[in-house]
DNA sequence: GGAATTTCTTAATATTTTCTTAAGAATAAA
DNA sequence: TTTATTCTTAAGAAAATATTAAGAAATTCC
């Protein structure tokens, strides 16, 4: 399992550093921002699994930032505040924060709450995946949540690798992928020397997808470069 | 709207009284118990909307009580503890507690957390009510309220685990569930390494459901990915 | 407290996928 | 046209994944 990334947003450096130590100790990946705007930038750039957000900050405060983040991202947010009046606001439904801790806080408790929220998010994600994720290419239909591929009425059975390669090309229609690139994307490993593993897979996919593998409708060969699905 | 009833379980009278004052002030109805067994009695007698449960108590401690309560009741539980070591245990999934506060605590924060949990429970309840308790898949009938499963006239006896797995797949027809996801959803625990517990259960279900387990009609294998019931 | 049931673990077997190899075909360049 | 390069195809070995069976451990029920 990959390390989860946690974004700490606090203008007080010592607090951020303290939290960082504890989280890293638990095997989390940590990035930091010192105000709301920076936080928004970081989120755009990196895949963040949880945000710890201080309410009191110069510029865009934590509550505003929280609302802003929520507009585009369902990532779990834990808010920190020293003011009692904030509690109700935060745990109410309006801000969209998932949990709250009052300052000064016990770092162990924060870590436990972080873990708890991440677990919750994972479970929720499972349920969310229900929403079908459909890719359509002419009469070729790819459903990434049910792992189904069909052409018209005919159901095509693809192996996991074949499926991944097809999805990669289908999600990026028009783009040409070199053998090397495909290998890196699908296998998540570096590509060493030229075996033709990828080619063999491409052929298998064509065999299953195409009526005439010689004249493929979907996966086209770009000579000397790679493969693509035309736009 | 009726006043919500909150059960406070603590052997220290002063703490219970303190919490009571704050909660009553917010319009909640409060009842009290001074140990785990008493709490179980109260729950049987009254309709309780939330429980505040101290971990450290003579006799049955809070953690045991929490697990015991959860067996029969999905009511939200907030646990109180002075010991750091408890945090992880409580916020982990195994006890079934919904939230935690460390002692000494800020009563305002506790009240806010109470309100937050009650809101959450209401939402959850709404969502639950929508789920049909009769699932039909061709001639397979699953009744989630009576825990009955039948195929045509034949009644199938499934164990609790088997039943849960089947319902998970049946409620989400078409969707593929990985071994890991099944484990997380049914066991409510994190999935560590690859034992094949889930597979064995799948096989048992097939044995009971299918005429030819080799060619399953209901639970299909999606190679390298997981299992599903086709739509 | 003991029997029955359920759940989990282990390991052997079966199946499917993935990779490797190698030979033949298509394409581009000389 | 010839040659070198790149791509396609096929077949079988290796690796990964799934099924099955049997028994141990835990739990439930009486």
């Amino acid at each position: 399992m990959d390390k989860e990334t946690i974004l700490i947003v606090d203008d007080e450096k010592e607090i951020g550093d303290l939290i960082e130590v504890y989280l890293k100790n638990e095997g989390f990946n940590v990035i930091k921002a010192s105000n709301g705007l920076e936080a928004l930038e970081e989120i755009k750039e990196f895949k963040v699994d949880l945000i710890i957000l201080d309410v009191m900050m110069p510029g865009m405060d934590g509550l505003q930032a929280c609302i802003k983040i929520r507009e585009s991202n369902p990532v779990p947010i834990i808010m920190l505040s020293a003011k009692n009046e904030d509690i109700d606001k935060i745990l109410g439904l309006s801000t969209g924060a998932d949990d709250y801790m009052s300052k000064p806080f016990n770092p162990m408790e924060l870590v436990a709450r972080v873990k708890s929220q991440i677990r919750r998010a994972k479970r929720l994600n499972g349920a969310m995946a229900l929403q079908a994720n459909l890719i359509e290419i002419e009469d070729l239909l790819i459903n990434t949540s049910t792992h189904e591929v069909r052409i018209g009425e005919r159901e095509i059975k693809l192996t996991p690798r074949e499926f991944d390669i097809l999805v990669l090309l289908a999600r990026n229609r028009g783009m040409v992928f070199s053998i090397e690139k495909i290998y890196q994307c699908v296998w998540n490993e570096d590509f060493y020397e030229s075996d033709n593993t990828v080619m063999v897979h491409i052929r298998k996919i064509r065999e299953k997808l195409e009526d005439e593998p010689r004249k493929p409708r979907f996966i086209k060969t770009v000579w000397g470069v790679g493969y693509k699905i035309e736009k």
Side-chain angles (χ1 to χ4, degrees), chain A residues 20-39:
Chain A
E20 182 176 11
V21 170
Y22 276 87
L23 289 176
K24 282 200 166 152
N25 188 42
E26 293 283 332
F28 292 109
N29 198 9
V30 175
I31 56 182
K32 290 194 276 190
S34 56
N35 61 61
L37 287 173
E38 250 180 63

Side-chain angles (χ1 to χ4, degrees), chain A residues 130-145:
Chain A
L130 277 176
Q131 295 163 10
N133 199 343
L134 276 179
I135 305 170
E136 231 179 308
I137 294 171
E138 291 168 45
D139 51 348
L140 172 67
L141 268 174
I142 306 170
N143 186 330
T144 52
S145 20

Side-chain angles (χ1 to χ4, degrees), chain A residues 142-203:
Chain A
I142 306 170
N143 186 330
T144 52
S145 20
T146 62
H147 258 251
E148 272 173 345
V149 178
R150 45 190 358 165
I151 295 181
E153 282 306 295
R154 184 162 56 100
E155 183 167 347
I156 314 275
K157 286 193 72 179
L158 294 184
T159 71
R161 280 271 137 92
E162 290 161 9
F163 188 83
D164 290 345
I165 294 172
L166 180 62
V167 168
L168 176 70
L169 295 174
R171 279 227 168 99
N172 302 283
R173 279 175 81 173
M175 251 180 92
V176 183
F177 285 82
S178 67
I179 296 278
E180 189 174 344
K181 192 93 201 160
I182 292 175
Y183 195 90
Q184 285 172 346
C185 289
V186 172
W187 275 254
N188 271 322
E189 284 171 27
D190 272 350
F191 180 80
Y192 284 102
E193 58 210 296
S194 167
D195 55 37
N196 67 355
T197 306
V198 175
M199 283 180 183
V200 172
H201 281 289
I202 294 278
R203 151 137 169 77

